[in-house]
Amino acid sequence: MNTVGISIAIPALDELGIVQYVFTTRQNGLGARTQGIKQADDWKRVAEAFGIAPDRLVTVNQVHGDTIRLVEQMNYRTMRSAEADAMITRERGLAIGVETADCVPILLVDPATPAVAAVHAGWKSTVEKIVQKTVAKMQAGFGSDPSRIIAAIGPAIGPECYEVDEPVMGPVRETFPFWKEVASPRTQGKWSLDLARLNRLELIQAGLPGINVYSFGLCTSCNPDLFYSFRREGRTGRMLSAVMIKA
Ligand SMILES: [Zn+2]
């Protein structure tokens, strides 16, 4: 991935030999955007690195919900305007990607089918269990075996920088009996929430072995030289987390 100055690697995915993937950083101005506004050619360099036409790197209109789109040859050109926060595909040579700046990006690879997924998990989608639903959709649609899926959780805001209050903590407590594993109290009514770890635990509940779930543990807000951060910067660029089954 060095053609676009990208440095984040998951050896377990490299070893499969069947996928290309990327977790971009802000280095070389990648994903910078103009005034924080999405541009049609934001990820052209990534498509080039993947060896595909720019329109074959598919992103969606992310809306913090739990909609998962099945991307196919027939429909990939319509995805840019589709509202969703996750995609799955088993097409070869068609990349799917999510854009983040603090939210949790997750790539899933089922090497047996093969099939892949890209998930954008902010707190709302996390509470709606979008990553578990994505695994379930891969099972139902492709016959994927969760115990064989490999997951990579990209750079997201860390708990030390992610302070939330009751409107977030209420749903987290209601949804996750183990919520104390991912939240710790700060001042009155304020909590630190570990969204990446929460998604990791969801993946394990979905049937992935813990050793198959890779996580960077690098905070987007604490590393301004590497990452864009919405909390830190407000209007800013985005990182892309994308995956493709090789043609
Ligand atoms: Zn931080």
Side-chain angles (χ1 to χ4, degrees), residues 86-210:
M87 283 168 282
I88 62 172
T89 191
R90 57 180 165 187
E91 300 285 357
R92 292 167 191 272
L94 203 54
I96 51 177
V98 291
E99 301 169 320
T100 61
D102 288 345
C103 290
V104 184
I106 304 150
L107 301 180
L108 304 176
V109 177
D110 158 18
T113 299
V116 293
V119 181
H120 163 249
W123 77 264
K124 283 182 188 165
S125 302
T126 299
V127 167
E128 293 187 60
K129 300 191 177 180
I130 191 169
V131 80
Q132 276 191 25
K133 289 174 180 172
T134 304
V135 171
K137 197 164 169 117
M138 291 172 78
Q139 270 182 284
F142 305 147
S144 296
D145 175 357
S147 72
R148 297 196 58 181
I149 293 175
I150 295 171
I153 300 174
I157 194 161
E160 73 285 357
C161 293
Y162 193 49
E163 185 179 85
V164 299
D165 49 18
E166 194 54 28
V168 174
M169 273 313 295
V172 167
R173 273 195 298 265
E174 268 171 42
T175 310
F176 303 103
F178 52 79
W179 63 272
K180 284 183 180 164
E181 289 183 48
V182 296
S184 50
R186 295 175 96 147
T187 53
Q188 185 67 32
K190 304 282 188 190
W191 301 76
S192 287
L193 182 61
D194 191 337
L195 268 190
R197 181 165 163 74
L198 187 45
N199 278 281
R200 176 188 173 81
L201 295 174
E202 283 191 34
L203 284 162
I204 290 167
Q205 281 206 327
L208 274 72

Side-chain angles (χ1 to χ4, degrees), residues 157-158 160-161 219-223:
I157 194 161
E160 73 285 357
C161 293
C219 173
T220 45
S221 182
C222 287
N223 294 279

Side-chain angles (χ1 to χ4, degrees), residues 40-101:
D41 61 351
D42 278 340
W43 308 118
K44 194 164 164 259
R45 282 148 67 193
V46 175
E48 281 168 7
F50 277 19
I52 56 175
D55 73 336
R56 292 183 69 82
L57 197 169
V58 181
T59 58
V60 284
N61 182 17
Q62 300 171 181
V63 291
H64 296 280
D66 67 345
T67 301
I68 303 151
R69 300 276 179 177
L70 170 63
V71 180
E72 300 177 291
Q73 289 294 347
M74 296 286 289
N75 69 5
Y76 76 89
R77 286 189 175 88
T78 66
M79 284 295 149
R80 177 167 288 271
S81 56
E83 294 190 346
D85 288 278
M87 283 168 282
I88 62 172
T89 191
R90 57 180 165 187
E91 300 285 357
R92 292 167 191 272
L94 203 54
I96 51 177
V98 291
E99 301 169 320
T100 61

Side-chain angles (χ1 to χ4, degrees), residues 1-9 21-28 30 43 45-47 49-50 240:
M1 288 305 108
N2 53 14
T3 48
V4 281
I6 295 160
S7 55
I8 295 173
Y21 67 94
V22 72
F23 290 95
T24 70
T25 68
R26 70 187 299 167
Q27 292 183 329
N28 298 343
L30 201 64
W43 308 118
R45 282 148 67 193
V46 175
F50 277 19
L240 179 76

